[in-house]
Amino acid sequence: MKNNCVKEMYVIDGGYMDIDKGLMTANTDQGKWIKIPVPVLLLSTTEGYVLIDTGMNPQVITDPAAAWGEWLAKDVPVHMENKNDLRVVLKNMGIAISDIKYVINTHMHHDHLGGNKFFPDAVHIVQKDEYRFATCPDDAFSSRYKFDNDLEGKKLNWRLVEGEIEVLPGISLIPTPGHSPGHQSILLHDVPGVGPLLYCGDAVYLKENWDKNIAPGICWNPQMALSSMRKIKQIASLVDAYVFYGHDWEYFYTLPLAPNKFSL
């Protein structure tokens, strides 16, 4: 494909969480506890390395309550080891912190931007609606998801975008609000060895959400979440994209993980 900057893709294992399945599948199987992985995507591109999400703040290894707040750390137990620390993974792959030129966040929850602070020289890309809501939430419940501990006061180079945009050649941002106001999924137009790939983020937690049209259980707006899922289903069908689910344990651990290159 012309105008495609992606050369290679890697899937990084960022650890996992335990969670009530009802929070993933709109109260289906409520009370059944499951494990969910925390993926990070790394792209080698002609523009430098690009991260899609940055996983969890490594502080959760030693003090989850300090990192996430006592209520969330209690309700969603975290399992992360040093080997899941993004800095450790990159070092083992021979990639310097300064090699990361762009960080794209699907949204601004704890398990998706916990490593942003390690890349002060990168451009951090997020939807404007998401950044506004994260920094000034509209309701008391959402205000409990403050990410101050994740960023530790770091002043990062944020690029706030609005709507659908090809942010780099062959990398398009697709607004998929619902889980959060400014959630975005990522369409990679042509991953070598794969073809088009649609990274859902938390617009589609599990393959079950996709197959049965079940909204994510943790939703800022459930109606918008279902609409967003229908939207990306149409996009995936139109371009014949490989669909990458956000938190599916059984799916995730069938994939080739970094330092291995992702391919089908």
Side-chain angles (χ1 to χ4, degrees):
M1 172 179 280
K2 295 181 179 179
N3 300 321
N4 178 51
C5 71
V6 179
K7 299 188 296 182
E8 294 177 336
M9 172 175 151
Y10 300 87
V11 178
I12 295 172
D13 181 355
Y16 69 95
M17 300 176 284
D18 298 321
I19 197 166
D20 187 321
K21 187 170 180 284
L23 296 176
M24 308 301 287
T25 52
N27 296 322
T28 301
D29 291 330
Q30 190 170 15
K32 177 183 178 180
W33 282 78
I34 62 172
K35 302 179 189 302
I36 59 171
V38 178
V40 175
L41 303 191
L42 172 68
L43 306 176
S44 172
T45 82
T46 57
E47 310 296 319
Y49 282 97
V50 178
L51 285 169
I52 300 178
D53 287 334
T54 60
M56 298 184 286
N57 180 351
Q59 187 184 15
V60 300
I61 297 172
T62 56
D63 196 346
W68 283 21
E70 290 187 9
W71 75 276
L72 186 57
K74 179 181 178 181
D75 291 347
V76 186
V78 176
H79 303 270
M80 184 180 185
E81 302 176 30
N82 286 330
K83 67 179 182 180
N84 305 120
D85 186 323
L86 193 48
R87 296 167 297 180
V88 173
V89 176
L90 293 176
K91 182 178 180 180
N92 289 341
M93 294 177 67
I95 299 171
I97 293 295
S98 59
D99 291 334
I100 305 298
K101 303 304 180 183
Y102 297 91
V103 175
I104 301 172
N105 289 111
T106 56
H107 61 298
M108 298 180 73
H109 285 169
H110 292 300
D111 54 325
H112 294 265
L113 88 161
N116 279 49
K117 61 188 176 184
F118 302 133
F119 308 99
D121 298 326
V123 177
H124 297 251
I125 303 170
V126 71
Q127 289 286 328
K128 186 176 182 179
D129 285 346
E130 184 71 10
Y131 186 85
R132 197 285 304 168
F133 189 81
T135 54
C136 187
D138 295 336
D139 56 78
F141 177 79
S142 298
S143 69
R144 301 170 78 183
Y145 284 95
K146 281 182 171 280
F147 56 88
D148 299 352
N149 290 337
D150 292 320
L151 297 183
E152 295 179 351
K154 296 287 193 303
K155 293 187 179 300
L156 300 177
N157 179 15
W158 291 100
R159 178 183 173 189
L160 307 183
V161 299
E162 294 186 82
E164 188 170 328
I165 181 174
E166 188 175 18
V167 70
L168 289 169
I171 303 177
S172 291
L173 311 181
I174 311 296
T176 47
H179 174 67
S180 63
H183 188 283
Q184 59 186 358
S185 300
I186 316 299
L187 177 63
L188 305 177
H189 297 200
D190 187 14
V191 177
V194 179
L197 181 146
L198 179 62
Y199 181 61
C200 299
D202 283 6
V204 184
Y205 290 139
L206 313 176
K207 186 175 186 295
E208 182 177 346
N209 295 99
W210 183 272
D211 290 344
K212 298 181 180 179
N213 293 312
I214 299 174
I218 304 172
C219 274
W220 167 75
N221 186 310
Q223 290 75 29
M224 291 182 74
L226 282 171
S227 178
S228 289
M229 186 159 59
R230 287 193 292 268
K231 173 183 176 179
I232 56 178
K233 279 190 170 188
Q234 290 176 336
I235 293 172
S237 177
L238 284 171
V239 302
D240 193 23
Y242 176 86
V243 179
F244 196 119
Y245 309 106
H247 286 295
D248 193 303
W249 178 271
E250 292 184 2
Y251 159 78
F252 184 76
Y253 286 105
T254 67
L255 303 177
L257 301 178
N260 297 307
K261 182 173 64 175
F262 181 77
S263 63
L264 298 179

